[in-house]
């Protein structure tokens, strides 16, 4: 289904730019999406836990002459998310699109990742998505429609070792999104799209909690966050059930479903070879419990083949 952008009213009435709320806007895919939408002329409300990083994104988007509002918010806080939607709609009376890219990662064996870290990854990725979707649908009902884009993952369709909380949460996000899509068919003017990237060059790997003794990295082929952002922008005018972003995604999913015994035999060695670098790291909670603004950026440290840039030296996030 193809839809037009929200109408810009001209003549005697003031022109109204469409408004997008981007959650997780301070880094990676969310940051790329903010820049892409600002270039398209959308006014933006930017949210994440990191106020300093959001201020940088606000300056990046202001170059395109759009209005931006920064509201630091944690998706795990349901009341804060409900307040965020109210504030986002305060200016023009509506929010035309809500995009949630907020997520965190933890590496390590299931029984070696601290329970607190495990639970907070689930709370951010899955329960945070539920908080955002619930508030967005309430706003869309009241205003007569809107576009909701939720971020899934290739790892919401397959299983890999050493990433249990992330994989579990993304499987949940995929299930949650399908349920919302089925129920949203009864809400006029509301569309829900799931965007499922494969490996993306973002700071998520260096920001991750790590109890695997080796730094996590994106397995090749690695896409730039701008590619995923383009899929998000397209979903606002051409909503669909799901958009997969990644050259190898369909092949990997097919192998997982059709050849489970072969997949299980191969995935452990492949994960150690391509999903964990040789760079040793001490156990640390990353940015799971607290934001780490110094590590937030649009891009990570990885090339197309998953190799770390030689000059890259990311600071290890530590709790304040």
């Amino acid at each position: 289904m193809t839809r037009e952008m929200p109408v810009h009213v001209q003549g005697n009435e003031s022109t109204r730019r469409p408004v997008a709320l981007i959650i997780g806007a301070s880094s990676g895919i969310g940051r790329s999406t903010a820049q892409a939408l600002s270039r398209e002329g959308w006014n933006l409300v930017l949210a994440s836990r990191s106020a300093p990083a959001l201020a940088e994104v606000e300056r990046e988007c202001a170059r395109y002459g759009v209005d931006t509002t920064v509201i630091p918010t944690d998706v795990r806080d349901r009341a804060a998310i409900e307040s965020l939607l109210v504030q986002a709609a305060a200016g023009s009376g509506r929010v035309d699109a809500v995009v949630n890219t907020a997520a965190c990662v933890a590496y390590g064996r299931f029984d070696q990742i601290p329970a607190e870290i495990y639970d907070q990854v689930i709370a951010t990725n899955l329960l945070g998505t539920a908080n955002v979707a619930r508030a967005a649908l309430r706003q869309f009902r009241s205003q007569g429609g809107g576009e909701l884009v939720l971020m899934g993952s290739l790892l919401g369709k397959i299983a890999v070792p050493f990433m249990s909380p992330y994989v579990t949460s993304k499987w949940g996000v995929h299930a949650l999104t399908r349920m919302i899509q089925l129920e949203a068919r009864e809400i006029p003017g509301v569309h829900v799209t799931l965007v499922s990237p494969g490996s993306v060059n973002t700071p998520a790997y260096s920001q991750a909690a790590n109890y695997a003794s080796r730094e996590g990295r994106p397995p090749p082929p690695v896409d730039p966050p701008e590619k995923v952002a383009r899929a998000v922008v397209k979903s606002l005018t051409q909503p669909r059930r799901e958009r997969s972003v990644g050259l190898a995604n369909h092949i990997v999913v097919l192998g997982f479903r059709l050849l489970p015994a072969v997949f299980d035999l191969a995935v452990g060695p492949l994960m150690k070879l391509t999903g964990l670098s040789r760079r040793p790291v001490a156990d640390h909670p990353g940015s799971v419990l607290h934001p780490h603004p110094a590590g937030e950026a649009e891009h990570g440290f990885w090339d197309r083949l998953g190799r770390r840039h030689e000059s890259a030296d990311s600071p290890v996030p530590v709790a304040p």
Side-chain angles (χ1 to χ4, degrees):
M1 179 186 298
T2 301
R3 302 178 65 250
E4 295 182 355
M5 287 281 192
V7 176
H8 293 230
V9 181
Q10 302 194 19
N12 294 329
E13 300 181 27
S14 61
T15 300
R16 189 188 73 81
R17 294 179 182 270
V19 177
L21 167 59
I22 304 174
I23 304 168
S26 58
S27 194
I29 294 168
R31 194 162 181 161
S32 281
T33 300
Q35 295 186 20
L37 286 177
S38 63
R39 286 192 295 269
E40 295 282 341
W42 288 66
N43 287 338
L44 302 175
V45 179
L46 308 174
S48 80
R49 296 179 300 168
S50 178
L54 285 176
E56 295 178 7
V57 183
E58 182 180 25
R59 288 192 292 271
E60 293 167 359
C61 296
R63 295 177 299 177
Y64 302 102
V66 300
D67 294 334
T68 60
T69 302
V70 167
I71 306 176
T73 310
D74 189 332
V75 293
R76 296 173 294 191
D77 186 335
R78 185 171 64 250
I81 289 296
E82 292 171 355
S83 175
L84 173 64
L85 265 293
V86 172
Q87 294 177 74
S92 65
R94 63 180 290 125
V95 180
D96 299 285
V98 175
V99 179
N100 182 43
T101 68
C104 57
V105 182
Y107 285 94
R109 295 184 182 276
F110 166 73
D111 59 343
Q112 295 177 346
I113 297 174
E116 180 185 21
I117 298 297
Y118 197 102
D119 292 352
Q120 289 307 311
V121 173
I122 300 293
T124 299
N125 298 355
L126 178 53
L127 300 183
T129 298
N131 289 338
V132 170
R134 187 182 296 111
L137 291 174
R138 185 179 297 117
Q139 176 65 33
F140 292 164
R141 281 182 183 273
S142 69
Q143 68 188 28
E147 306 297 325
L148 176 60
V149 178
L150 302 176
M151 196 60 54
S153 171
L154 169 63
L155 298 186
K157 299 174 180 291
I158 66 171
V160 299
F162 310 115
M163 297 187 72
S164 172
Y166 186 81
V167 172
T168 300
S169 64
K170 286 300 183 179
W171 275 65
V173 167
H174 281 238
L176 172 65
T177 304
R178 288 296 291 127
M179 293 302 301
I180 294 171
Q181 288 171 336
L182 293 173
E183 295 172 358
R185 293 172 66 88
E186 300 178 1
I187 310 176
V190 173
H191 306 93
V192 183
T193 300
L194 178 71
V195 175
S196 298
S199 293
V200 185
N201 179 29
T202 75
Y205 310 92
S206 54
Q207 292 274 74
N210 198 304
Y211 301 89
S213 300
R214 293 161 58 187
E215 183 184 52
R217 65 176 178 179
V222 182
D223 286 318
E226 290 92 341
K227 183 176 180 180
V228 186
R230 288 194 294 271
V232 172
V233 173
K234 188 174 183 179
S235 297
L236 301 184
T237 55
Q238 300 179 42
R240 55 191 293 182
R241 186 173 68 184
E242 182 177 358
R243 279 195 161 83
S244 177
V245 182
L247 184 64
N249 288 12
H250 295 300
I251 298 173
V252 174
V253 172
L254 194 64
F256 177 77
R257 293 176 177 174
L258 298 183
L259 299 169
V262 175
F263 183 94
D264 289 357
L265 184 66
V267 69
L270 284 174
M271 182 63 184
K272 292 178 181 179
L273 179 65
T274 64
L276 295 172
S277 74
R278 296 180 180 179
R279 188 171 186 250
V281 293
D283 292 354
H284 65 86
S287 62
V288 172
L289 303 178
H290 306 280
H292 181 61
E296 301 206 46
E298 183 179 5
H299 300 96
F301 308 112
W302 313 96
D303 66 14
R304 178 69 171 167
L305 298 179
R307 297 172 301 195
R308 201 178 213 282
H309 301 316
E310 293 183 1
S311 60
D313 186 19
S314 60
V316 174
V318 294

